[in-house]
């Protein structure tokens, strides 16, 4: 958990959401190169996949590339090659009753997971996302149930609807278990 000194001012939305201010960065902030080297050293023994919930983090990283040295640029490019936007992935499968994607907070509630701390604290958000990812990977029957609950509202389930339509055309009937099997495959 490190704060990175910024060259630009922190926007009011980021200040409000995270509580991070210029004063905090002045006291606790580190140079970006130092943080990159620390993270690189920590991750070197592994082959990580970098997961975020939405594109904001990766977009900020891309904007930073033109202001970095070779070490930072190489690290950022490595992150981008090994990156998964879990929001984009999970929102194609799990949505609310209006077809909208769920926030990290709502997914925590859905999976009945204890929150690591306040929303929008970067470290807590990362821990929460890790718990959601773990739940998604290891609780397939819950995923199928959540997918099934709002399937009719899910604008992203076109493949499932196409497969069901093909089955209906061939067999005239699709049993619930067949539909659930298609949902499992789509996960």
């Amino acid at each position: 958990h490190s704060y990175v000194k910024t060259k630009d001012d922190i926007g009011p939305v980021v200040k409000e959401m995270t509580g991070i201010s210029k004063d905090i960065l002045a006291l606790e902030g580190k140079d970006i190169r130092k943080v990159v080297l620390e993270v690189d050293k920590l991750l070197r023994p592994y082959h990580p996949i970098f997961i975020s919930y939405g594109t904001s983090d990766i977009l900020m990283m891309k904007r930073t590339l033109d202001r970095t040295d070779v070490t930072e640029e190489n690290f950022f490019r490595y992150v981008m090659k090994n990156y998964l936007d879990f929001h984009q992935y999970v929102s194609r499968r799990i949505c609310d009753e209006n077809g909208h994607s769920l926030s990290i907070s709502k997914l925590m509630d859905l999976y009945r997971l204890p929150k690591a701390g306040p929303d929008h604290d970067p470290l807590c958000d990362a821990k929460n996302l890790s718990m959601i990812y773990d739940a998604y990977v290891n609780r397939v029957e819950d995923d199928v149930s959540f997918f099934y609950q709002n399937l009719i509202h899910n604008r992203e389930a076109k493949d499932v609807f196409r497969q069901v339509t093909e089955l209906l055309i061939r067999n005239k009937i699709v049993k619930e278990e067949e539909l659930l099997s298609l949902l499992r495959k789509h996960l």
Side-chain angles (χ1 to χ4, degrees), residues 83-117:
Y83 168 75
L84 169 67
D85 176 0
F86 192 60
H87 177 264
Q88 182 182 32
Y89 180 83
V90 80
S91 65
R92 292 174 184 258
R93 291 144 181 91
I94 301 173
C95 66
D96 68 11
E97 63 279 355
N98 297 311
H100 300 125
S101 62
L102 302 177
S103 65
I104 287 176
S105 183
K106 287 185 179 179
L107 282 168
M108 294 294 289
D109 293 342
L110 188 67
Y111 281 104
R112 296 176 308 282
L113 298 168
K115 290 184 182 176

Side-chain angles (χ1 to χ4, degrees), residues 46-62:
Y46 309 102
H47 300 285
I49 293 175
F50 300 90
I51 300 173
S52 72
Y53 201 71
T55 58
S56 298
D57 297 328
I58 205 74
L59 290 174
M60 283 189 280
M61 217 180 258
K62 283 180 181 178

Side-chain angles (χ1 to χ4, degrees), residues 58-70:
I58 205 74
L59 290 174
M60 283 189 280
M61 217 180 258
K62 283 180 181 178
R63 279 188 228 126
T64 306
L65 278 178
D66 65 339
R67 297 188 265 171
T68 59
D69 68 20
V70 174

Side-chain angles (χ1 to χ4, degrees), residues 3-41:
Y3 292 110
V4 176
K5 291 181 182 176
T6 63
K7 294 177 184 173
D8 300 325
D9 286 336
I10 300 169
V13 173
V14 173
K15 279 182 194 175
E16 185 179 329
M17 285 176 56
T18 65
I20 298 171
S21 67
K22 201 76 166 164
D23 294 337
I24 290 173
L25 294 183
L27 288 172
E28 300 179 44
K30 297 179 184 178
D31 182 66
I32 191 167
R33 187 172 201 283
K34 183 175 181 174
V35 173
V36 165
L37 291 172
E38 288 173 359
V39 171
D40 184 54
K41 182 180 177 183

Side-chain angles (χ1 to χ4, degrees), residues 64-150:
T64 306
L65 278 178
D66 65 339
R67 297 188 265 171
T68 59
D69 68 20
V70 174
T71 302
E72 297 154 22
E73 185 175 332
N74 288 339
F75 178 76
F76 290 152
R77 291 193 192 289
Y78 175 72
V79 168
M80 285 189 266
K81 276 195 238 175
N82 297 285
Y83 168 75
L84 169 67
D85 176 0
F86 192 60
H87 177 264
Q88 182 182 32
Y89 180 83
V90 80
S91 65
R92 292 174 184 258
R93 291 144 181 91
I94 301 173
C95 66
D96 68 11
E97 63 279 355
N98 297 311
H100 300 125
S101 62
L102 302 177
S103 65
I104 287 176
S105 183
K106 287 185 179 179
L107 282 168
M108 294 294 289
D109 293 342
L110 188 67
Y111 281 104
R112 296 176 308 282
L113 298 168
K115 290 184 182 176
D119 292 343
H120 306 299
D121 174 281
L123 183 58
C124 294
D125 281 354
K127 288 178 180 179
N128 290 339
L129 183 56
S130 175
M131 287 188 281
I132 293 166
Y133 180 83
D134 185 62
Y136 182 84
V137 168
N138 293 304
R139 293 167 50 181
V140 174
E141 290 311 309
D142 284 346
D143 302 335
V144 171
S145 174
F146 303 149
F147 197 173
Y148 184 66
Q149 283 173 338
N150 292 308

